[in-house]
Amino acid sequence: FPSHDIKGIQGLIAKMPKALAKRQMRRTKVSQHLVEFSLYDCHLGKLCWGKQTGSDDYDLEIACSDYANAIDRMVQRVAPYTVEEVVIPIGNDFLHFDDFSTKATTKGTVVDSTDDRPTKVFRAGFSVLKHAAEQALDIASKVTFLWVPGNHDYHASWYLVELLGHHFSREPRISVDNSETRKHKLFSTYRDWE
């Protein structure tokens, strides 16, 4: 380009006001929401000593506290909205091991640094998931637990979801899906965007 054209364009650019970014707005207000509390790779039953790993300490108490605190924070964040349903996937290595006798993963890999109280780990996992359901009911009309198997806890996470289904069987607002099929959720309808 000729230099006088470039100088002319640069002069125009210098004088031109910058447009503000236009935020996308919904034309129709969404009155109901679906919220997913997707906390994966919790590995309840894993033990880590910070001095050995170069990271933070991690044990059953810390894992359950972290999970419960994350649920509580998410509930606080979405409380101002109208929430129709909360979906809570279970699995995704929620527990660190699958075999209670050998403390091995589903495929038999023995994992180091595991809590040697597998029944306590299982009960703690159930308790923290029960807490999640009760908190979710404070903000939502419905809570759904979805079993999403991981490579560490295929059977144990299924047992947890089955136990949650039994525990909440008299609560019509809580359901479980522990089918072995791929899961997806369709919620609401298409909305126009400006």
Side-chain angles (χ1 to χ4, degrees), residues 15-180:
K15 294 176 185 174
M16 184 182 294
K18 293 183 180 178
L20 297 175
K22 184 175 180 184
R23 191 171 176 199
Q24 288 184 328
M25 302 298 289
R26 291 184 186 267
R27 289 188 182 163
T28 56
K29 186 177 179 183
V30 175
S31 61
Q32 304 247 325
H33 300 276
L34 179 136
V35 175
E36 180 178 339
F37 292 167
S38 185
L39 301 170
Y40 50 87
D41 284 326
C42 295
H43 288 272
L44 270 68
K46 181 177 183 173
L47 298 175
C48 292
W49 183 39
K51 290 183 179 182
Q52 186 180 34
T53 63
S55 186
D56 296 330
D57 292 340
Y58 194 74
D59 61 17
L60 184 60
E61 185 178 334
I62 293 168
C64 289
S65 176
D66 286 352
Y67 191 93
N69 289 335
I71 292 292
D72 294 345
R73 283 194 311 271
M74 286 186 285
V75 165
Q76 288 172 353
R77 285 183 179 167
V78 300
Y81 301 94
T82 304
V83 178
E84 183 176 321
E85 182 177 3
V86 171
V87 175
I88 305 173
I90 303 302
N92 292 317
D93 298 343
F94 180 73
L95 300 172
H96 191 50
F97 49 83
D98 203 26
D99 187 320
F100 285 11
S101 60
T102 63
K103 291 185 267 331
T105 65
T106 303
K107 292 195 177 189
T109 304
V110 178
V111 285
D112 293 334
S113 303
T114 58
D115 194 311
D116 63 354
R117 305 161 299 174
T119 54
K120 182 175 183 174
V121 171
F122 188 84
R123 287 180 179 141
F126 174 77
S127 292
V128 77
L129 292 172
K130 184 173 157 276
H131 170 79
E134 291 165 350
Q135 292 298 105
L137 281 179
D138 286 345
I139 58 160
S141 305
K142 181 180 178 184
V143 176
T144 303
F145 285 103
L146 294 179
W147 177 58
V148 182
N151 65 313
H152 275 244
D153 62 348
Y154 186 94
H155 301 100
S157 62
W158 187 89
Y159 301 146
L160 274 172
V161 174
E162 190 72 8
L163 184 60
L164 287 162
H166 176 74
H167 179 75
F168 289 115
S169 62
R170 293 187 180 164
E171 173 52 77
R173 297 174 298 162
I174 296 180
S175 64
V176 301
D177 179 352
N178 59 355
S179 64
E180 295 189 36

